Amino acid sequence: MLKIDQEACIACGLCEEACTFGAIRVEGDCAVVGDNCTLCGACVEVCETGALELIREEKAPMADLGSWSGVWVYAEYRNGRLAPVGLELLGAGRKLADKRGVPLAAVLLGSGADSGAGEGLAAEAATLVAHGADRVYLVDDPALAKFSDDAYGNVLADLVREHKPEIVLAGATAVGRSFIPRVATMLAAGLTADCTDLDIREEDGALLQTRPAFGGNIMATIVCPRTRPQMATVRPLVMKPLARDDGRQGEIIPVKPDPARLQSRVTVLETVAGELEKVNLNEADIVVAGGRGLETPEGFALVRKLADALGGAVAASRAAVDSGWIPYPHQVGQTGKTVAPKIYIACGISGAIQHLVGMQSAETIIAINRDPEAPIFNVATYGIVGDLFEVIPKLIERLEHNRTQ
Ligand code: FAD
C-alpha cells in the first residue's frame, strides 16, 4: 500500500506530476491516492519531504512447499480429439520433469461416450503416454462431454489438491484461457499466461516462466517462489512435441470425480466455431504473409497470388489488418495467431517483436524486404533484399512456369 504522512505532505504536486496513471492528486493541503494506484513507486521517488512510503506486504512462503512434486500438463480434448497443444506441452514438460527428476503426468478430462471425429478418450490417453507422459489421470464422465468452466475447474483443482504437482501447464486456447485462471484462483496460485519459454532455476527448482511484456518490447521472466503449484499457459505451436514412441510405458489412472463437483451452473446449448477458427492458418504448411510494404489493397493482392501459386494460406501483419486489406483472423503475432508452418514467407513486413512471437517457430522463414537492416532478416532462413513489387511477380512467374513444365 501507499502510505501518505499528512503532517509531512506540503501539497507541492510533484507526486501528481510523476504519476503516469493519474492515481495520486493533491486535494486541499494533502495528496490523496486513488484505487488505480499500481504501487509503481514513481511518486515516492520524487517526493522531497519523505511524505510517501510504499509498504509492500511480503507473502509468507507456503509451509509445505517441499511436499509439492511432479509436472502436470492439462491435455485438452474436444470432439474425440486431443488438441495438439497438449502434446507440445508434454514435450516441454518432459524437459522440466527430467531436470527436476520428477514424473510427468497428463490430465485428460472428457467423456468416452463422445468419440466425436477422433480416436476417443481411452486411445488418446495412450497417445499422451507415447508422447512423453509417465502417468495419465483419466477422468471419463458424461458430465464432462461438453466443456464448462465450473465442472472442469472443480475436477482439475481437486486433482491438484490431492496429488500436489509443483508445476501445472495448459494451452492458451479458448478453453485453457477460460478455466485455467479459475483453477489458479481456487488454488490461490500464481498463473503466467502466454509463456514463450519455460525452464527450471537450478538453485531452487523454481519454474522460470518467460513471456513478452510491455507490448512485447521486453521479455519478462516470472517466478512464483512462495506458492505451489506454479501455473503457466503456453500458446499452441510455441513448443515442440516429442516424436511419438509407442514403446513408452506409462500408467493410466482412472479417476472417479465427486458427482457434486460436476454440477455446472451453465448449460451449453450449442458450440459454434467463430470466424477466427474458420481461417485455418494453423494447419497450413506454407503461409505467405503481407505487411505495410504492400502499400494498398491492390498491392496486397500480390500476396494472395503468391499463396495461390504455392498452395499456401494468407496471413498478415497487424499493420496490414489495421489498414483494412485483410480481416483480423489472418493476423499473425502477439495479438493475432501463432503459426509454425514448414515455410513462412514474410513480404514487406519489418519484423517487429510483436509479429515475430507469432511466427518465429516456422521451420523455414523467407523474408522479402527492400531494407537490408529490417529486423525480419535476423530470424529469416533466406532473405531477399529487394522491391517486393519486382520480386513477388518473378516468383509467381517462375512457379507457374515450373508447374506447366
Ligand atoms: P512496418 O513496420 O511499417 O514494415 C513495413 C516493411 O515493409 C518495412 O520493413 C519496409 O522496409 C518494407 N517495405 C516497404 N515497401 C517495400 C517494398 N516495395 N518492397 C519490399 N519491402 C518494402 N503486429 C503484428 O504483426 N501482429 C501482432 O499481433 C501485433 N500485436 C501488437 C500488440 C501490441 C500491444 C503492439 C503495441 C503492437 C502490435 N503489433 C503487432 C504491431 C507491431 O509493433 C508492428 O507495428 C507491425 O507488426 C508492423 O507491421 P509491418 O511490418 O507490416 O509494417
Side-chain angles (χ1 to χ4, degrees), residues 215-216 290-295 316-320 331-336 348-352 354-355 368-371 374 386-389:
R292 204 189 321 258
L294 275 309
E295 293 177 7
S317 72
R318 177 159 151 184
Q331 182 176 317
V332 165
Q334 188 185 323
T335 42
I349 292 178
S350 58
Q354 295 89 351
H355 188 79
I368 307 169
N369 199 304
R370 68 180 173 196
D371 174 7
D387 185 337
L388 57 85
F389 295 106

Side-chain angles (χ1 to χ4, degrees), residues 211-222:
R211 56 152 296 152
F214 293 106
N217 290 317
I218 59 162
M219 298 303 280
T221 297
I222 295 162

Side-chain angles (χ1 to χ4, degrees), residues 4 22 42 60 79 91 136 138 185 193 233 251 253 283 290 292 349 355:
I4 302 175
N79 302 321
V136 180
L138 174 60
T185 308
T233 63
E251 198 184 352
I253 305 167
E283 284 171 20
R292 204 189 321 258
I349 292 178
H355 188 79

Side-chain angles (χ1 to χ4, degrees), residues 287-312:
V287 172
V288 184
R292 204 189 321 258
L294 275 309
E295 293 177 7
T296 59
E298 295 73 37
F300 200 86
L302 264 183
V303 167
R304 297 184 202 277
K305 265 182 120 180
L306 179 57
D308 282 349
L310 287 162

Side-chain angles (χ1 to χ4, degrees), residues 175-197:
V175 165
R177 284 176 203 266
S178 182
F179 92 108
I180 294 295
R182 169 186 289 259
V183 174
T185 308
M186 286 195 271
L187 299 168
L191 170 65
T192 308
D194 286 353
C195 293
T196 52
D197 192 25

